[in-house]
Amino acid sequence: MQNLIKNDAVTEDAWRLIRSEDESYDAAEDVILPLAAWLAVDPAARSGQAAPWLAPDADLSLLRPVLAQLPLIAIDFPAFTDGRGYSLARLLRERYGYQGELRAIGDVQRDQLAYLARVGFTVFAIRDDRPAEAALDGLRDFSDQYQATVLQPEPLFKRRTQR
C-alpha cells in the first residue's frame, strides 16, 4: 500500500527508500539513499536515479555544489517532535534555491502536513500505520497564514495593505 501524498493526492511512488547503507538495491532502480551512501555512488555504474535522504543534523554544504541536478531530496523526521527537518527544508528552498521535489519521510503525520508545506515540502510519505487518504485533509487545516513562508512569501499584514 502506498502512503505517499503528492500534488494533493495519494499516489504511487516510483522511488524506493533505502534506510540502511547495508540494504541492497538494483542499479536500475530509482532509489533514495542515506546521504553517506548517496555520496559514495558512482553515477556511471547506475542506470536508475539516486537521491539522498538527510538526517535532521545533515550538513547541507555537502549537497550545495550539486543541488541543481538533484531531482529529489528527502528529509527524515525520526520522531514527530523533531522539528529540525523544517529548518533544513526552509534553508534548501530559501537560502539555496532548491527547486526539485522535497519529500518528508519518517514519522510524518496528518497534523504536520500544513506546516511541512509552508517550509517547502512538496511530497509527504505518511507513516505506514496511518491512512494517507485521511491525512490529505491536513493540507487544508488553515485557510490563511500570518507569517511569511515558502508558500506565501508576503506576511498577512503586507497582503492586507495591498488589497
Side-chain angles (χ1 to χ4, degrees), residues 76-139:
D76 189 34
F77 289 83
F80 180 79
T81 55
D82 190 334
R84 294 175 290 173
Y86 292 91
S87 300
L88 289 177
R90 192 155 190 174
L91 287 171
L92 283 168
R93 293 291 190 208
E94 293 183 345
R95 185 174 295 172
Y96 299 120
Y98 178 67
Q99 297 295 313
E101 178 179 314
L102 198 52
R103 181 180 295 201
I105 62 171
D107 192 8
V108 177
Q109 302 180 35
R110 179 201 184 282
D111 293 345
Q112 295 169 286
L113 297 190
Y115 301 106
L116 291 167
R118 287 181 183 185
V119 296
F121 284 97
T122 53
V123 178
F124 314 94
I126 305 299
R127 279 180 22 180
D128 288 339
D129 63 335
R130 307 286 169 107
E133 292 82 7
L136 271 171
D137 288 339
L139 289 170

Side-chain angles (χ1 to χ4, degrees), residues 21 33-41 51-55 58-60 62-63:
E21 292 181 39
L33 301 168
L35 180 59
W38 179 81
L39 289 169
V41 165
W53 68 258
L54 309 177
D59 181 2
L60 294 180
L62 297 171
L63 296 177

